[in-house]
Each structure stands twice: as C-alpha cells, then as structure tokens.
Amino acid sequence: MNMGSLRREPVWWRDETIYQIYPRSYQDCDADGVGDLPGILARLPYIAELGVDCFWLSPIFASPMDDFGYDVADYRSIDPLFGTMDDFDALLNAAHSHGLKLVLDFVPNHTSDRHEWFRESRGSRTNAKRNWYIWKDPAPDGGPPNNWISNFGGSAWEFDERTGQYYYHAFLASQPDLNWRNPEVRSAMFDVLRFWLDKGVDGFRVDVIWHLIKDAEFRDNPPNPEYRPGQPEIEKNLQVHSADQPEIHDLVAQMRDVIEEYDNRLMIGEIYLPLERMVRYYGESGESGVHLPFNFQLLQCQWEPKKIAGLVKEYEAALPEGGWPNWVLSNHDQPRIAARAGARQAGIAAMLLLTLRGTPTLYYGDEIGLAEVDIPPDRIQDPWARQEPDASFNRDKARTPMQWSSKENAGFSGTQPWLPLSQDWRERNVAQLDEQPGSLLRLYKRLLAFRKNEPALRDGAYREIHVGETMFAYERVLDKERLLVLLNFSDDPVAAPPLPDSYRGGTVVFSSEEVDNPPEQDAAAITLRPGAGVIVRGGENRS
Ligand code: GLC
C-alpha cells in the first residue's frame, strides 16, 4: 500500500503528461487521406502549446496495415504511408528541440505474416526460424490444437497447408504470435529496442505485454460461465492459459534491463487485467517490471462519483511499494470519454485526469471533445468490427481525424480522410475552440499549465474528502501545500460539501469555468454549476 508521497529522485515521466497520437489521424501532409510523420512535425508547436510533455505514437513501422500498424512487417523501418526514416529522425530531433519526449509503440507479441521471419518460419518444418513462432500439430480429429479463441473472434489457430501444422495468432490470422520462450526471439527483439533507443527515443509503450508468454502445455481455456451472447467471442472462455502466465515476469524484467541500459527511458505496458494481477507488472519494488502498467480503470468505469472514488481508493491501495500510479481516459481501442461520460462532463473528466495522483495519459482529440463519430457501414475499417460486426463497439469511432479548423476536411487533409469527421466539425475544431472562452480546449490548456506549477498536484498524497451522489472531492497534499479538488458530476448546480478546517478561508485557485478577473471566492460558499469543477487552496498558503 502506498498512499503517501515518497521522497524520490526526479524522474521525468512521474511529473509529465503523456499525449497519445494515432498517426493515421493526426495530420495528413501528402493528401492521401491518412496522417503522416511530416504532419505530426508540423503540429509540434500545437502539442507543445497544449502543455503536454511527451507523446506516444501508435505504430509507424512497415506494415500491410491489416490491423493499422499493429501488424509489423519490419520493426526497423517506417511505413511509406507515414514517411521515411529521415522524416522520423527529423520528428525526433524537432520534438526534443520543443522540449517534448517521444515514445514509440513496440509490438512484440506478434508480427505481420509478411515479416521476413514468418516467411522463413512457414517455409518448412525444419527451417531455422520455425521455432520463432508457435506451430503445433492438428488435434487427433484434424482440428485446431486447442480451444483458444482469437481476440478478434474465431479460432486462434490457422492451418498452414504446406507444412501441415497450425500456427497460433492471438489477433488476426495475419498476425502470427512470436514464440517468446525462444531465446533467439528475445535477443532479436531486444536488439529492435536498442535500435530505436540508440536513435534517442524516450521509451516504449509495449503492446499487449501480458500476452507474450503462453501456457507451456497449451491446455484448453475453461469456459466463462458469465458469457452472454453479444459479448465479443473471445469472452466465451476465460483466458487462463493463453495469457498472463507466471513466466511473463522474468521476461518483462529482461526487457526492463534493456531499457535500463540507457538513461531516462520509459517503459509502459498495455495490460487489461484485474487490478491485483495488473499491478504485478510493476515487478519487485518497481525495479523489475514496466515503469507504468497502463491503468485502464477509468476506461471501463461507470461515470458516477461513487464508482470512480471507489476505484481510485482500490487502485491507490493496490499499488506496490515503488509503483508510481497513472491514469488513462481514452485510447484508440475504447469509446472516447466524451462518448462515455457525455459532452457536459468532458471538463471534469479532464480535471480528474490531471489532478489524480499519477502520470496522466491524454488521447488526441479528447481535448476538443471528440465523442463517438458515426461510421457508415461501407466505411468501416476496423478489422475487429469487420470480423465481428455484431460486437457493440467499432474502434474506428475513436480513431477519426483530428479536427484543426473549419477549412476543407477540417484542415486534416487535402482529400477525403480515411475515416469521417464528426458531424459538428465546423465548430468542433482547434481553431474555433481556441478562440472560444470557456471551451474544453482552453480548459485543457489552463489545467496543464496549472498542473505544471503545482508540485502538490504532481507529487502530493491523495486523500478522499467527500463522495456523494453528485459530488466527488479529494485533496492533494505535499508538505504545507494542500489543494482540494471539487467535481460536480450532475446536470444541476450543487453546493460544496462542508469543507475540512484546513480549507476554511481558502480561495478558489482554479475553475473549469473560464472567467476574466475571477472574483476572490470563499471556498465555503461555492455552488458548482452543472458539470463544473474547482480547485481550492488550503493549508498555510490559502490565498
Ligand atoms: C493492442 C492494440 C490494438 C491492437 C492489438 C493487437 O491491444 O492497442 O489496437 O489491435 O493490440 O496488436
């Protein structure tokens, strides 16, 4: 348990804010309807001005794009759709000149079936790379070796006529899983990390890290008694043997050792697991695991103060000694926050993300309140949605182009974008919202700037103060600094709850509502408007 603020050496990723960019959808510079690296380069001033410190890019490596880059055909080259290696080097340099860090997406669980390694591996049963992937004989009836299901639906085994065996793929059949029990695979993939670390990237987000090691005996997964029709097919079984195996932690420790060969680099793990299993990925004393196992709880929680306060409490209590917290509001695989919580709550969602204890990750487009964009059936791109059309969510809805201006195609591209814009793009875009007092974008900028100047928000201990049906209040305390965050989750005005003594006479130092020359407000007398939030300074430096 780790509720306090530990005295610690400064490490950049504890203080800074991470911004996820989905490169296909950020800025298109060569008018093919798909974003690219020169586009991101052109938008660096915006990213810096927004006030985030680090951005991570979903995969930009050579790929047939069956899963939009999460199917890598060459880990050491840039896909021509996104640009060239020179474009990448220019982006990395320019990011650093802007004071921004750049984190890449490392996709170690599987390659594309077009990767040279897999081409060799499938060549013959005796090929030197055969054991780099997971090949098994058919079951006695000729069917797949076990009952494992692909995350995108259907059997996770594909029969290969030429050699008469099945290979395993946790995702698409064109994404064969690497065999991470093979030391040659480890060594080759660790060299991939070094290739990018030598270039100076600031770290990696590691894709589906909990999947890397599978049961040594490939036993069947047990059925999920709670499965209901309509849920994704993968949920029919419990993933007891296909992921999160005990041996994974040694492998993560080895990967961390590679990262530690370099100074100041960050390793994030994508992990969808119940809390107590997820936090194991911090490793021993936070030394042998990933620095940040992504905390996706806000992605899956109902938007109610009691639920959210409850999960913050559980998360804080579950953190191991040395484990630094983090929070994620949206990503490219889940419905966006403005879709889940509603447009009127997007402001306090921003406040929550940027005032809870831990490193925040903000998803591009959330800062302009993008919600769920309608995708006409003939424009669906997401391979999962195509394979399981009845599943409730199509990931395209959270991957639509960034909206920059009211100009053609929202300033994203000179041609029709690969996914549609939101209906309201003429108003909902960076240029418009930047000019609009009280806009969500301006709130994000003010908040990010405020957070930078408040050590208590970055480093202070977290303490819950009040949780009701409509209001959630908590404080962040560092030495004599105290900040109280009050969030109104309802569509009605709500009076502040009775404040602790330490805030008596305290004043509002931040409000989600933007007012020129705000009057000095006594915290005890505040009424919060619907969906509004404030921060009150207490302690010895009240005003
Ligand atoms: C991760 C990615 C997702 C991708 C999958 C397979 O979950 O976030 O977009 O489809 O891995 O690589």
Side-chain angles (χ1 to χ4, degrees):
M1 175 151 139
N2 176 13
M3 306 274 281
S5 61
L6 297 172
R7 285 275 157 246
R8 42 95 175 171
E9 293 299 308
V11 182
W12 64 268
W13 46 264
R14 296 193 194 209
D15 287 341
E16 302 197 349
T17 301
I18 302 171
Y19 182 62
Q20 181 191 351
I21 292 179
Y22 196 66
R24 293 182 69 87
S25 287
Y26 207 57
Q27 175 69 63
D28 173 20
C29 270
D30 59 359
D32 60 359
V34 174
D36 42 44
L37 297 182
I40 298 169
L41 178 74
R43 293 299 181 184
L44 285 180
Y46 165 82
I47 299 169
E49 197 196 301
L50 180 61
V52 296
D53 310 283
C54 168
F55 59 94
W56 73 271
L57 301 175
S58 284
I60 51 173
F61 316 106
S63 163
M65 301 290 163
D66 289 356
D67 191 19
F68 297 114
Y70 285 96
D71 47 328
V72 180
D74 179 358
Y75 289 98
R76 296 172 192 233
S77 72
I78 302 293
D79 195 274
L81 195 63
F82 295 125
T84 62
M85 192 59 88
D86 285 347
D87 291 328
F88 177 78
D89 292 339
L91 177 64
L92 181 60
N93 266 326
H96 287 164
S97 319
H98 276 86
L100 294 164
K101 312 260 184 347
L102 194 165
V103 165
L104 287 177
D105 206 323
F106 181 51
V107 188
N109 181 64
H110 43 267
T111 68
S112 159
D113 62 352
R114 255 103 356 134
H115 196 292
E116 193 190 299
W117 299 341
F118 189 69
R119 288 182 202 266
E120 288 182 39
S121 183
R122 81 188 320 179
S124 75
R125 288 195 185 203
T126 52
N127 186 279
K129 295 235 164 34
R130 185 68 170 181
N131 197 26
W132 283 42
Y133 291 84
I134 298 168
W135 292 96
K136 294 274 169 226
D137 286 333
D141 67 355
N146 69 18
N147 71 351
W148 294 2
I149 298 170
S150 151
N151 281 269
F152 293 155
S155 168
W157 295 94
E158 183 76 5
F159 188 65
D160 197 55
E161 294 285 344
R162 184 155 22 146
T163 54
Q165 284 190 312
Y166 282 86
Y167 66 86
Y168 176 67
H169 57 90
F171 294 87
L172 296 172
S174 60
Q175 292 170 294
D177 278 44
L178 280 165
N179 175 13
W180 275 89
R181 290 184 186 266
N182 181 343
E184 288 174 8
V185 168
R186 294 190 185 201
S187 146
M189 289 298 271
F190 292 163
D191 281 347
V192 169
L193 290 174
R194 293 189 186 101
F195 172 82
W196 294 102
L197 291 164
D198 283 338
K199 275 188 176 287
V201 304
D202 298 286
F204 297 95
R205 170 262 190 196
V206 184
D207 192 61
V208 295
I209 198 166
W210 83 107
H211 269 268
L212 298 186
I213 300 282
K214 299 68 162 120
D215 178 39
E217 292 165 41
F218 287 84
R219 283 168 286 185
D220 275 354
N221 277 324
N224 172 7
E226 277 158 33
Y227 179 78
R228 299 280 167 273
Q231 285 175 243
E233 203 185 329
I234 178 77
E235 290 170 22
K236 278 187 178 162
N237 290 336
L238 299 170
Q239 310 302 302
V240 173
H241 300 302
S242 48
D244 194 33
Q245 299 303 291
E247 302 96 312
I248 182 64
H249 298 289
D250 285 341
L251 170 56
V252 175
Q254 283 183 8
M255 216 181 261
R256 169 76 177 263
D257 285 345
V258 176
I259 303 284
E260 294 295 337
E261 291 168 13
Y262 298 76
D263 286 336
N264 288 324
R265 312 299 166 98
L266 166 66
M267 185 173 164
I268 306 173
E270 185 206 20
I271 300 160
Y272 287 93
L273 283 175
L275 191 53
E276 66 285 0
R277 281 159 63 193
M278 184 263 275
V279 294
R280 287 190 208 144
Y281 285 75
Y282 279 107
E284 295 293 320
S285 318
E287 300 288 326
S288 62
V290 298
H291 296 114
L292 301 175
F294 258 150
N295 168 18
F296 292 142
Q297 295 190 89
L298 286 177
L299 287 174
Q300 289 153 341
C301 177
Q302 275 168 291
W303 196 249
E304 288 169 17
K306 288 188 177 164
K307 294 262 161 51
I308 293 173
L311 74 82
V312 178
K313 192 181 267 170
E314 279 174 45
Y315 180 63
E316 284 277 354
L319 285 170
E321 194 67 26
W324 182 252
N326 76 91
W327 295 95
V328 179
L329 261 189
S330 298
N331 67 25
H332 65 293
D333 291 327
Q334 306 287 338
R336 282 182 179 275
I337 183 64
R340 285 179 285 122
R344 292 181 73 167
Q345 298 284 311
I348 58 164
M351 287 191 66
L352 188 72
L353 175 70
L354 293 168
T355 61
L356 284 175
R357 193 173 79 88
T359 303
T361 296
L362 163 61
Y363 184 46
Y364 88 98
D366 272 8
E367 73 271 34
I368 57 170
L370 278 181
E372 205 166 85
V373 176
D374 261 350
I375 312 291
D378 61 331
R379 290 193 67 183
I380 294 179
Q381 306 279 340
D382 177 10
W384 186 6
R386 286 184 176 186
Q387 241 170 246
E388 286 195 81
D390 297 335
S392 55
F393 180 63
N394 164 5
R395 298 182 299 173
D396 294 337
K397 296 181 179 193
R399 298 176 175 181
T400 61
M402 185 61 172
Q403 301 176 173
W404 295 104
S405 71
S406 309
K407 295 190 189 133
E408 198 189 2
N409 302 314
F412 165 71
S413 171
T415 190
Q416 190 192 46
W418 73 292
L419 284 174
L421 303 169
S422 75
Q423 297 269 334
D424 58 354
W425 67 269
R426 285 189 181 76
E427 299 81 48
R428 189 175 297 286
N429 60 60
V430 169
Q432 294 273 317
L433 298 184
D434 238 349
E435 296 300 313
Q436 232 173 69
S439 73
L440 185 63
L441 178 58
R442 287 168 66 133
L443 171 59
Y444 264 104
K445 286 186 178 177
R446 288 189 300 119
L447 256 172
L448 283 157
F450 183 78
R451 187 177 192 279
K452 277 204 172 113
N453 292 322
E454 294 293 342
L457 280 189
R458 301 194 311 269
D459 234 1
Y462 164 89
R463 192 158 72 99
E464 182 186 301
I465 297 291
H466 169 89
V467 193
E469 295 302 325
T470 53
M471 182 77 82
F472 179 22
Y474 50 91
E475 67 174 351
R476 300 293 310 284
V477 183
L478 183 70
D479 301 328
K480 291 177 178 163
E481 288 289 329
R482 307 185 91 89
L483 292 171
L484 175 71
V485 181
L486 291 155
L487 305 174
N488 176 5
F489 280 69
S490 81
D491 289 338
D492 298 305
V494 174
L499 301 183
D501 283 354
S502 40
Y503 293 94
R504 205 165 284 152
T507 52
V508 174
V509 285
F510 187 91
S511 168
S512 61
E513 297 187 52
E514 189 182 340
V515 202
D516 284 336
N517 307 317
E520 246 191 35
Q521 250 183 318
D522 179 354
I526 309 169
T527 293
L528 284 112
R529 287 200 223 188
V534 296
I535 302 176
V536 175
R537 193 184 305 284
E540 291 187 359
N541 308 317
R542 279 171 212 205
S543 44

Short mmCIF file of all heavy atoms in Angstrom, two decimals, residues 469-492:
data_model
loop_
_atom_site.label_atom_id
_atom_site.label_comp_id
_atom_site.label_asym_id
_atom_site.label_seq_id
_atom_site.Cartn_x
_atom_site.Cartn_y
_atom_site.Cartn_z
N GLU A 469 -23.80 11.50 -4.23
CA GLU A 469 -24.42 11.07 -5.49
C GLU A 469 -23.93 11.93 -6.64
O GLU A 469 -23.88 11.49 -7.78
CB GLU A 469 -25.95 11.19 -5.41
CG GLU A 469 -26.61 10.27 -4.40
CD GLU A 469 -26.31 8.79 -4.67
OE1 GLU A 469 -26.21 8.42 -5.86
OE2 GLU A 469 -26.14 8.04 -3.69
N THR A 470 -23.61 13.19 -6.33
CA THR A 470 -23.29 14.13 -7.41
C THR A 470 -21.89 14.73 -7.31
O THR A 470 -21.37 15.23 -8.28
CB THR A 470 -24.27 15.32 -7.38
OG1 THR A 470 -24.25 15.86 -6.05
CG2 THR A 470 -25.67 14.89 -7.75
N MET A 471 -21.31 14.68 -6.14
CA MET A 471 -20.06 15.41 -5.92
C MET A 471 -18.94 14.48 -5.49
O MET A 471 -19.15 13.55 -4.71
CB MET A 471 -20.31 16.44 -4.81
CG MET A 471 -19.15 17.32 -4.46
SD MET A 471 -18.88 18.63 -5.66
CE MET A 471 -20.08 19.81 -5.10
N PHE A 472 -17.77 14.74 -6.03
CA PHE A 472 -16.57 13.99 -5.62
C PHE A 472 -15.52 15.04 -5.24
O PHE A 472 -15.25 15.95 -6.03
CB PHE A 472 -16.10 13.11 -6.78
CG PHE A 472 -14.85 12.28 -6.52
CD1 PHE A 472 -14.44 11.96 -5.23
CD2 PHE A 472 -14.11 11.80 -7.59
CE1 PHE A 472 -13.30 11.19 -5.01
CE2 PHE A 472 -12.96 11.03 -7.39
CZ PHE A 472 -12.56 10.74 -6.10
N ALA A 473 -14.98 14.96 -4.03
CA ALA A 473 -13.96 15.91 -3.58
C ALA A 473 -12.79 15.15 -2.99
O ALA A 473 -12.98 14.19 -2.24
CB ALA A 473 -14.55 16.85 -2.54
N TYR A 474 -11.60 15.55 -3.35
CA TYR A 474 -10.40 14.92 -2.80
C TYR A 474 -9.31 15.97 -2.69
O TYR A 474 -9.37 17.02 -3.33
CB TYR A 474 -9.93 13.76 -3.67
CG TYR A 474 -9.81 14.06 -5.15
CD1 TYR A 474 -8.62 14.51 -5.71
CD2 TYR A 474 -10.91 13.88 -5.99
CE1 TYR A 474 -8.52 14.77 -7.08
CE2 TYR A 474 -10.82 14.14 -7.35
CZ TYR A 474 -9.63 14.58 -7.89
OH TYR A 474 -9.54 14.85 -9.24
N GLU A 475 -8.33 15.70 -1.85
CA GLU A 475 -7.24 16.67 -1.74
C GLU A 475 -5.92 16.03 -2.12
O GLU A 475 -5.75 14.82 -2.10
CB GLU A 475 -7.19 17.28 -0.34
CG GLU A 475 -6.80 16.33 0.75
CD GLU A 475 -6.64 17.04 2.10
OE1 GLU A 475 -6.65 18.28 2.17
OE2 GLU A 475 -6.48 16.31 3.11
N ARG A 476 -5.01 16.91 -2.47
CA ARG A 476 -3.64 16.51 -2.77
C ARG A 476 -2.75 17.32 -1.84
O ARG A 476 -2.83 18.57 -1.82
CB ARG A 476 -3.32 16.83 -4.24
CG ARG A 476 -4.24 16.13 -5.27
CD ARG A 476 -4.04 14.62 -5.30
NE ARG A 476 -2.63 14.26 -5.40
CZ ARG A 476 -1.90 14.33 -6.52
NH1 ARG A 476 -2.49 14.70 -7.65
NH2 ARG A 476 -0.62 14.02 -6.52
N VAL A 477 -1.93 16.64 -1.08
CA VAL A 477 -1.18 17.30 -0.02
C VAL A 477 0.31 17.02 -0.15
O VAL A 477 0.73 15.86 -0.24
CB VAL A 477 -1.65 16.79 1.37
CG1 VAL A 477 -0.92 17.53 2.48
CG2 VAL A 477 -3.15 16.95 1.51
N LEU A 478 1.07 18.10 -0.15
CA LEU A 478 2.53 17.96 -0.18
C LEU A 478 3.11 18.95 0.82
O LEU A 478 2.98 20.16 0.63
CB LEU A 478 3.06 18.25 -1.58
CG LEU A 478 4.57 18.07 -1.76
CD1 LEU A 478 4.96 16.60 -1.70
CD2 LEU A 478 5.03 18.68 -3.08
N ASP A 479 3.71 18.45 1.87
CA ASP A 479 4.21 19.30 2.94
C ASP A 479 3.11 20.26 3.38
O ASP A 479 2.05 19.82 3.76
CB ASP A 479 5.48 20.04 2.50
CG ASP A 479 6.59 19.07 2.09
OD1 ASP A 479 6.61 17.97 2.68
OD2 ASP A 479 7.37 19.38 1.19
N LYS A 480 3.38 21.59 3.23
CA LYS A 480 2.36 22.53 3.70
C LYS A 480 1.38 22.93 2.61
O LYS A 480 0.49 23.75 2.83
CB LYS A 480 3.07 23.77 4.25
CG LYS A 480 3.78 23.41 5.53
CD LYS A 480 4.56 24.56 6.08
CE LYS A 480 5.19 24.11 7.40
NZ LYS A 480 6.26 24.98 7.83
N GLU A 481 1.57 22.38 1.43
CA GLU A 481 0.66 22.69 0.32
C GLU A 481 -0.54 21.75 0.35
O GLU A 481 -0.38 20.54 0.49
CB GLU A 481 1.38 22.49 -1.02
CG GLU A 481 2.43 23.51 -1.33
CD GLU A 481 1.81 24.85 -1.67
OE1 GLU A 481 0.69 24.87 -2.22
OE2 GLU A 481 2.45 25.88 -1.35
N ARG A 482 -1.74 22.35 0.21
CA ARG A 482 -2.94 21.50 0.14
C ARG A 482 -3.83 22.03 -0.97
O ARG A 482 -4.14 23.22 -1.00
CB ARG A 482 -3.78 21.58 1.40
CG ARG A 482 -3.09 21.34 2.70
CD ARG A 482 -4.15 21.35 3.80
NE ARG A 482 -4.64 19.99 4.01
CZ ARG A 482 -4.06 19.15 4.88
NH1 ARG A 482 -3.00 19.51 5.57
NH2 ARG A 482 -4.54 17.95 5.04
N LEU A 483 -4.26 21.15 -1.83
CA LEU A 483 -5.22 21.54 -2.86
C LEU A 483 -6.42 20.61 -2.76
O LEU A 483 -6.26 19.38 -2.65
CB LEU A 483 -4.60 21.43 -4.25
CG LEU A 483 -3.49 22.43 -4.58
CD1 LEU A 483 -2.82 22.07 -5.89
CD2 LEU A 483 -4.03 23.86 -4.63
N LEU A 484 -7.60 21.22 -2.82
CA LEU A 484 -8.83 20.44 -2.74
C LEU A 484 -9.51 20.51 -4.11
O LEU A 484 -9.74 21.61 -4.64
CB LEU A 484 -9.75 21.06 -1.68
CG LEU A 484 -11.13 20.45 -1.52
CD1 LEU A 484 -11.04 19.08 -0.88
CD2 LEU A 484 -12.00 21.37 -0.66
N VAL A 485 -9.83 19.36 -4.66
CA VAL A 485 -10.49 19.31 -5.98
C VAL A 485 -11.95 18.95 -5.75
O VAL A 485 -12.26 17.96 -5.07
CB VAL A 485 -9.82 18.25 -6.88
CG1 VAL A 485 -10.48 18.22 -8.25
CG2 VAL A 485 -8.32 18.49 -6.99
N LEU A 486 -12.84 19.78 -6.28
CA LEU A 486 -14.29 19.53 -6.13
C LEU A 486 -14.89 19.37 -7.52
O LEU A 486 -14.75 20.27 -8.36
CB LEU A 486 -14.95 20.74 -5.47
CG LEU A 486 -14.63 21.02 -4.01
CD1 LEU A 486 -14.83 22.49 -3.69
CD2 LEU A 486 -15.53 20.16 -3.13
N LEU A 487 -15.57 18.25 -7.75
CA LEU A 487 -16.13 17.99 -9.08
C LEU A 487 -17.62 17.71 -8.98
O LEU A 487 -18.04 16.84 -8.21
CB LEU A 487 -15.42 16.79 -9.72
CG LEU A 487 -13.89 16.86 -9.82
CD1 LEU A 487 -13.32 15.54 -10.34
CD2 LEU A 487 -13.45 18.01 -10.72
N ASN A 488 -18.39 18.42 -9.79
CA ASN A 488 -19.84 18.22 -9.81
C ASN A 488 -20.21 17.32 -10.99
O ASN A 488 -20.17 17.75 -12.13
CB ASN A 488 -20.56 19.57 -9.92
CG ASN A 488 -22.07 19.41 -10.03
OD1 ASN A 488 -22.59 18.30 -9.94
ND2 ASN A 488 -22.77 20.52 -10.24
N PHE A 489 -20.61 16.10 -10.70
CA PHE A 489 -20.93 15.12 -11.75
C PHE A 489 -22.37 15.25 -12.27
O PHE A 489 -22.77 14.49 -13.13
CB PHE A 489 -20.73 13.69 -11.22
CG PHE A 489 -19.30 13.26 -11.23
CD1 PHE A 489 -18.38 13.83 -10.36
CD2 PHE A 489 -18.85 12.28 -12.11
CE1 PHE A 489 -17.05 13.43 -10.36
CE2 PHE A 489 -17.53 11.87 -12.12
CZ PHE A 489 -16.63 12.45 -11.25
N SER A 490 -23.15 16.17 -11.71
CA SER A 490 -24.57 16.17 -12.08
C SER A 490 -24.89 17.26 -13.09
O SER A 490 -24.07 18.11 -13.40
CB SER A 490 -25.42 16.37 -10.83
OG SER A 490 -25.47 17.74 -10.50
N ASP A 491 -26.12 17.22 -13.59
CA ASP A 491 -26.57 18.24 -14.53
C ASP A 491 -27.29 19.37 -13.80
O ASP A 491 -28.00 20.17 -14.41
CB ASP A 491 -27.51 17.60 -15.57
CG ASP A 491 -26.73 16.70 -16.52
OD1 ASP A 491 -25.51 16.90 -16.64
OD2 ASP A 491 -27.33 15.79 -17.11
N ASP A 492 -27.12 19.43 -12.49
CA ASP A 492 -27.71 20.51 -11.69
C ASP A 492 -26.61 21.22 -10.92
O ASP A 492 -25.56 20.64 -10.65
CB ASP A 492 -28.70 19.94 -10.68
CG ASP A 492 -29.84 19.24 -11.37
OD1 ASP A 492 -30.49 19.88 -12.22
OD2 ASP A 492 -30.04 18.03 -11.10
#
